[in-house]
């Protein structure tokens, strides 16, 4: 099947499998989910050598987008199994682990990725992680892990992130373990939203075959980088989910929102402006990411896509809910649950505030390519000079998107080394939105982004 025929087939499969409706206030029915997977929903995430589709980022983005039209939990589950389980499993698993995982995904309930812990900060997880495994002998490891908020808890397995413990000491290196459900004790979590996805506190305190350990790399520093790369790729791809949900929001606004009040019309247009920005971000991933190419050099871009796509989609979801009036407060109304179900997108895969601060750091430091070329960034350089020399902006900028004087003046007032941790968050927002602005083909998206940047500049001065 070519791409167009494959995507048509996925759309038809959704329509057929959910033809008698879908209740998002209870767990997704596993038989229907399995039918979707067997119809090919996850094939774009699967390597060709394992029976998947030819590597094509557009297909990955499209299956996530199409799933978004059936609600937040449906696309989220596609993303969890595709980006957080299938892709790392194939990248880091040995043939036996891959065979075990694929069987559980395509013939069973699949799995989830377990990183976050109840007692440590998710934002600082690489440093603070306490879960560990320890070799008892060459064939056996003891695993001690407490993890929480795993999407797809209670399914067939979890890929559990843990540090190796040797002689009673935790190493810095993080690896994954493919842990089948018989080793996991779970306590289901009651969530405010996303009722259709299973979440739990997952505890493991057991010996298991050492063959379940999945080494991310043979060298320690490369291992940490490989761990980070899982999230770079999944943040870049996440815009497939958010863009699908944006379209679902726009459709619901058309269906449910009244049109005879000027202010409501204005708010509807504001939703559409956020949708226009979402298109820019979606286009970036389709054009500049590939499932079979490394993403390590795209950390800043990944953080920008993740923060902006989730911030603007969440805004749009809240606006829609408000415009529905009392209907927006009805439990289970198709358009009332989007905002509550969507809220954690601004938290997981890195809380947005933290990522904005990181965007600042990534923007003000030399990239790997610059370091290789011997470029050193002088800390007294202004942010404007940096913007003009940064190739990540240069390669995507459209000639018509010149910077207005007031924003250029703001960037000239700040130097690379000058921001305090609080300012970093607001300047990170400015940088992220500029990255979208320079690529904006549509004038209303560009105008909206400039307005939003000016608000961030005010916040920066205020803090
Ligand atoms: C619905 C849902 C699904 C999830 N799915 C999964 C999953 O599948 N697998 C998994 O392992 N985990 C999952 N998580 C957990 C999620 O990844 C973590 O909650 C997230 O990483 C944040 O960690 P935390 O809750 O410990 O917040 P903290 O680290 O305590 O941060 C709290 C807040 O402090 C602020 N903050 C923190 N650091 C900074 C900083 N440096 N600069 C500025 N502000 C900062 C932010 O506002 C942040 O929201 C999920 C969570 C939810 C709610």
């Amino acid at each position: 099947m070519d791409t167009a025929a494959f995507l048509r087939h996925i759309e038809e499969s959704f329509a057929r499998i959910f033809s008698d409706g879908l209740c998002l206030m209870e767990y997704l029915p596993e038989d229907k989910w399995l039918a979707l997977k067997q119809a090919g929903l996850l094939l774009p995430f699967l390597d060709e050598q394992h029976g998947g589709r030819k590597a094509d980022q557009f297909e990955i983005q499209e299956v996530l987008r199409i799933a978004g039209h059936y609600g937040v939990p449906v696309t989220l589950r596609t993303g969890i199994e595709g980006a957080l389980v299938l892709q790392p499993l194939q990248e880091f698993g040995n043939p036996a682990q891959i065979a075990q995982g694929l069987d559980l995904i395509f013939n069973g309930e699949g799995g989830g990725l377990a990183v976050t812990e109840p007692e440590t900060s998710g934002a600082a997880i690489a440093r603070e992680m306490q879960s560990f495994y320890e070799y008892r002998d060459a064939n056996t490891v003891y695993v001690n892990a407490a993890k929480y908020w795993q999407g797809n808890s209670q399914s067939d397995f979890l890929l559990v992130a843990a540090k190796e413990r040797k002689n009673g000491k935790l190493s810095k290196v993080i690896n994954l373990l493919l842990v089948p459900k018989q080793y996991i004790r779970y306590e289901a979590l009651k969530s405010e939203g996303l009722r259709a996805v299973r979440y739990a506190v997952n505890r493991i305190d057991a010996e298991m075959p050492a063959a379940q350990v999945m080494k991310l790399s043979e060298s320690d520093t490369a291992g940490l980088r490989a761990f980070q790369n899982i999230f770079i790729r999944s943040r870049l791809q996440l815009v497939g989910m958010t863009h699908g949900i944006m379209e679902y929001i726009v459709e619901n606004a058309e269906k449910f929102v009244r049109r005879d009040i000027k202010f409501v019309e204005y708010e509807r247009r504001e939703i559409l402006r956020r949708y226009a920005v979402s298109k820019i971000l979606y286009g970036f991933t389709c054009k500049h990411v590939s499932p079979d190419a490394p993403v390590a050099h795209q950390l800043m871009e990944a953080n920008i896509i993740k923060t902006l796509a989730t911030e603007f989609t969440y805004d749009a979801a809240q606006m829609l809910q408000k415009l529905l009036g009392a209907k927006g407060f009805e439990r289970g109304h198709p358009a009332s649950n989007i905002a509550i179900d969507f809220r954690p997108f601004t938290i997981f895969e890195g809380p947005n505030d933290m990522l904005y601060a990181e965007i600042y750091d990534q923007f003000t430091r030399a990239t790997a390519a610059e370091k290789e070329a011997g470029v050193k960034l002088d800390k007294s350089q202004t942010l404007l000079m940096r913007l003009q020399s940064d190739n990540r902006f240069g390669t995507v900028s459209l000639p018509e998107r010149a910077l207005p004087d007031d924003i250029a003046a703001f960037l000239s007032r700040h130097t690379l080394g000058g921001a305090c941790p609080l300012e970093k968050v607001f300047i990170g927002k400015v940088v992220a939105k500029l990255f979208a602005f320079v690529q904006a083909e549509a004038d209303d998206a560009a105008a909206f982004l400039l307005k939003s940047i000016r608000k961030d500049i005010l916040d920066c001065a205020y803090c």
Side-chain angles (χ1 to χ4, degrees):
M1 265 191 255
D2 64 14
T3 293
F6 170 71
L7 295 173
R8 238 186 348 265
H9 163 74
I10 293 297
E11 278 181 345
E12 285 160 7
S13 303
F14 266 110
R16 174 173 49 80
I17 291 164
F18 289 144
S19 60
D20 52 355
L22 170 65
C23 173
L24 294 180
M25 301 312 289
E26 49 197 53
Y27 290 153
L28 290 179
E30 286 301 325
D31 56 337
K32 293 193 175 183
W33 189 252
L34 188 58
L36 277 170
K37 289 196 281 189
Q38 291 179 342
L41 177 65
L42 299 180
L43 291 187
F45 294 95
L46 187 66
D47 294 344
E48 231 178 340
Q49 55 162 320
H50 298 121
R53 305 270 308 160
K54 191 161 168 286
D56 181 347
Q57 195 64 42
F58 178 66
E59 287 193 4
I60 290 185
Q61 300 312 123
E62 281 291 283
V63 290
L64 292 168
R65 185 189 65 78
I66 293 166
H69 286 248
Y70 289 83
V72 181
V74 178
T75 189
L76 179 58
R77 178 122 187 216
T78 312
I80 293 170
E81 287 199 58
L84 297 184
V85 180
L86 251 179
Q87 287 179 328
L89 175 74
Q90 294 171 99
E91 188 170 352
F92 304 115
N94 61 33
Q97 291 162 339
I98 293 174
Q100 183 187 11
L102 294 190
D103 179 44
L104 296 173
I105 293 167
F106 289 103
N107 300 311
E109 294 188 0
L113 178 66
V115 177
T116 314
E117 302 178 344
E119 304 301 336
T120 44
S121 158
I125 193 72
R127 201 174 58 244
E128 296 186 4
M129 184 182 290
Q130 293 301 308
S131 297
F132 69 88
Y133 63 95
E134 190 166 46
Y135 281 88
R136 291 286 197 240
D137 57 45
N139 299 318
T140 314
V141 284
Y142 166 67
V143 183
N144 188 296
K147 299 285 181 182
Y148 90 148
W149 276 110
Q150 278 63 56
N152 272 6
S153 290
Q154 309 161 42
S155 57
D156 290 320
F157 69 98
L158 289 175
L159 292 182
V160 176
K163 291 177 174 168
E164 183 169 345
R165 192 167 82 164
K166 272 186 198 159
N167 307 321
K169 275 185 107 179
L170 279 191
S171 75
K172 285 194 182 134
V173 187
I174 296 171
N175 283 311
L176 293 176
L177 291 104
L178 195 164
V179 181
K181 81 197 259 190
Q182 74 257 28
Y183 296 105
I184 305 171
R185 271 186 303 116
Y186 70 84
E187 301 138 36
L189 274 167
K190 286 203 180 107
S191 55
E192 286 292 345
L194 284 179
R195 297 290 172 89
V197 182
R198 292 175 302 196
Y199 287 101
V201 181
N202 293 289
R203 294 183 199 280
I204 304 163
D205 180 4
E207 288 190 351
M208 64 186 74
Q212 302 307 117
V213 177
M214 209 179 267
K215 282 250 156 76
L216 298 189
S217 169
E218 286 314 316
S219 96
D220 290 359
T221 34
L224 266 181
R225 251 183 266 129
F227 181 66
Q228 193 181 39
N229 287 348
I230 298 174
F231 299 102
I232 298 180
R233 191 177 292 287
S234 82
R235 283 173 199 159
L236 286 163
Q237 291 176 163
L238 170 143
V239 66
M241 300 189 234
T242 60
H243 195 57
I245 295 159
M246 266 288 193
E247 290 182 346
Y248 183 62
I249 290 169
V250 170
E251 263 168 34
N252 278 295
E254 291 292 317
K255 220 190 284 178
F256 294 111
V257 169
R258 50 191 296 183
R259 284 158 180 272
D260 52 344
I261 300 172
K262 274 243 166 325
F263 182 72
V264 173
E265 260 310 295
Y266 166 80
E267 292 275 280
R268 238 168 46 83
R269 281 203 307 277
E270 281 289 284
I271 291 176
L272 289 175
R273 289 186 184 112
R274 285 160 176 81
Y275 174 49
V277 176
S278 180
K279 277 187 194 160
I280 302 170
L281 304 172
Y282 187 80
F284 177 88
T285 295
C286 292
K287 253 184 263 152
H288 299 284
V289 182
S290 169
D292 54 1
V295 289
H297 61 293
Q298 289 176 307
L299 178 57
M300 184 189 81
E301 294 89 326
N303 291 345
I304 289 175
I305 300 280
K306 194 281 176 178
T307 47
L308 295 190
T310 57
E311 179 179 323
F312 290 141
T313 307
Y314 185 44
D315 277 359
Q318 285 177 301
M319 289 166 121
L320 172 63
Q321 189 172 25
K322 179 188 71 176
L323 296 181
L324 289 171
K327 285 193 192 72
F329 197 60
E330 275 173 27
R331 185 178 189 273
H333 186 288
S336 77
N337 270 81
I338 306 173
I340 180 77
D341 282 356
F342 193 78
R343 192 168 82 82
F345 278 66
T346 64
I347 302 169
F348 59 52
E349 298 254 355
N352 282 6
D353 302 336
M354 177 191 83
L355 293 183
Y356 282 126
E358 286 187 7
I359 290 165
Y360 173 90
D361 287 336
Q362 286 134 18
F363 174 66
T364 54
R365 288 179 192 152
T367 62
E370 285 169 332
K371 280 185 197 154
E372 215 169 286
V375 175
K376 284 197 180 125
L377 296 182
D378 178 354
K379 289 286 164 203
S380 63
Q381 207 183 97
T382 67
L383 295 181
L384 184 62
M385 289 154 86
R386 175 62 183 145
L387 185 71
Q388 285 156 349
S389 71
D390 190 334
N391 212 24
R392 293 168 295 187
F393 283 77
T395 50
V396 296
S397 289
L398 297 174
E400 63 267 36
R401 293 301 164 216
L403 216 51
D405 290 346
D406 59 328
I407 296 175
F410 169 80
L411 296 174
S412 302
R413 282 197 299 276
H414 290 267
T415 57
L416 297 194
C420 72
L422 193 50
E423 287 171 326
K424 282 185 181 185
V425 177
F426 294 112
I427 301 177
K429 290 185 186 201
V430 171
V431 171
K433 289 168 193 172
L434 282 173
F435 186 73
F437 166 75
V438 297
Q439 299 176 62
E441 282 173 19
D443 287 344
D444 60 344
F448 167 75
L449 283 161
L450 290 179
K451 183 192 79 170
S452 188
I453 289 169
R454 290 187 172 108
K455 279 188 175 170
D456 296 327
I457 290 176
L458 283 177
D459 280 335
C460 191
Y462 177 74
C463 77

